[in-house]
């Protein structure tokens, strides 16, 4: 009987570590949103996420009429900060408004990225949890590559973790 419980615990541990049941070992669950200036690249990124087999939720918008970027960036950032989603991808005309909005939320490290090198570096060194891009700045092919690299690059930790901890401490003591 004791052997059964030990075996069962070991099996469950191995099973959980090798499936998508644990956040630490699963592919990121991503929340995607854009304003009217980013709807075309958002569609490209949705296609990429599907090709990569990644879980995501599309938060909108679904129109070309002018909307306010904070209405999309802030809920995405809040859901990422709360842990409901692992990462967020935001797209507007330049990416600037989305990134400024997202970075107002405690716990968010939103990086405005328009090249592949920065996409990799912001994950490796800054542990960014939200990516912002501008549809009027980059084309769909580059946007897909930036998102792919950003989604597949891990945080390096080490000296970079110390720096993130300093930002977190500042955020906690000055909010």
């Amino acid at each position: 009987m004791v052997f059964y419980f030990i075996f069962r615990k070991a099996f469950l541990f191995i099973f959980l570590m090798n499936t998508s049941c644990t956040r630490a070992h699963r592919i990121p669950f991503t929340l995607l949103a854009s304003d009217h200036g980013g709807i075309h690249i958002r569609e490209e990124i949705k296609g990429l996420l599907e090709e990569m087999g990644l879980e995501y939720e599309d938060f909108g918008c679904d129109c070309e009429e002018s909307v306010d970027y904070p209405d999309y960036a802030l809920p995405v950032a809040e859901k990422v900060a709360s842990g409901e989603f692992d990462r967020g991808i935001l797209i507007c005309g330049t990416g600037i408004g989305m990134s400024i909005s997202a970075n107002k939320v405690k716990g968010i490290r939103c990086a405005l990225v328009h090249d592949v090198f920065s996409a990799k570096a912001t994950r490796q060194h800054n542990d960014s949890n939200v990516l912002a891009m501008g549809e009027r700045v980059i084309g769909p092919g580059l946007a897909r590559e930036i998102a792919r690299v950003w989604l597949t690059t891990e945080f390096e930790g080490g000296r970079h973790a110390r720096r993130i901890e300093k930002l977190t401490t500042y955020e906690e003591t000055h909010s």
Side-chain angles (χ1 to χ4, degrees):
M1 189 70 142
V2 172
F3 175 75
Y4 169 77
F5 286 110
I6 293 171
F7 175 78
R8 184 171 169 233
K9 277 189 172 185
F11 174 79
L12 286 173
F13 176 77
I14 291 168
F15 175 77
L16 289 174
M17 295 306 285
N18 290 314
T19 66
S20 63
C21 294
T22 57
R23 281 209 185 256
H25 295 283
R26 73 181 178 104
I27 295 169
F29 188 30
T30 305
L31 186 55
L32 180 64
S34 72
D35 70 0
H36 61 282
I39 60 173
H40 302 293
I41 284 186
R42 191 182 87 244
E43 291 301 314
E44 287 288 330
I45 300 304
K46 282 170 54 175
L48 172 70
L49 294 169
E50 290 167 8
E51 289 168 18
M52 294 176 70
L54 301 180
E55 297 177 73
Y56 73 93
E57 188 173 310
D58 182 2
F59 193 69
C61 84
D62 294 317
C63 64
E64 292 191 30
E65 292 83 37
S66 182
V67 296
D68 299 331
Y69 54 82
D71 295 342
Y72 296 90
L74 292 171
V76 167
E78 288 170 355
K79 287 176 182 273
V80 172
S82 75
E84 186 177 342
F85 289 83
D86 300 305
R87 302 210 192 142
I89 299 177
L90 299 170
I91 305 145
C92 65
T94 63
I96 297 169
M98 288 287 204
S99 64
I100 290 171
S101 297
N103 280 319
K104 296 293 182 186
V105 176
K106 182 178 175 181
I108 292 301
R109 291 175 304 282
C110 179
L112 173 57
V113 176
H114 292 127
D115 64 88
V116 175
F117 174 81
S118 297
K120 186 171 188 169
T122 193
R123 284 291 308 132
Q124 288 177 325
H125 299 180
N126 310 118
D127 197 19
S128 61
N129 50 12
V130 177
L131 171 67
M133 295 184 284
E135 183 171 310
R136 296 178 189 136
V137 180
I138 58 174
L142 181 55
R144 286 173 64 97
E145 184 61 13
I146 288 168
R148 187 191 63 73
V149 167
W150 186 76
L151 288 163
T152 59
T153 301
E154 294 295 323
F155 178 52
E156 288 181 353
R159 71 184 189 275
H160 306 295
R162 181 180 72 244
R163 296 165 184 160
I164 299 302
E165 183 58 36
K166 288 181 179 185
L167 293 172
T168 302
T169 300
Y170 181 87
E171 206 171 43
E172 290 171 356
T173 58
H174 291 85
S175 53

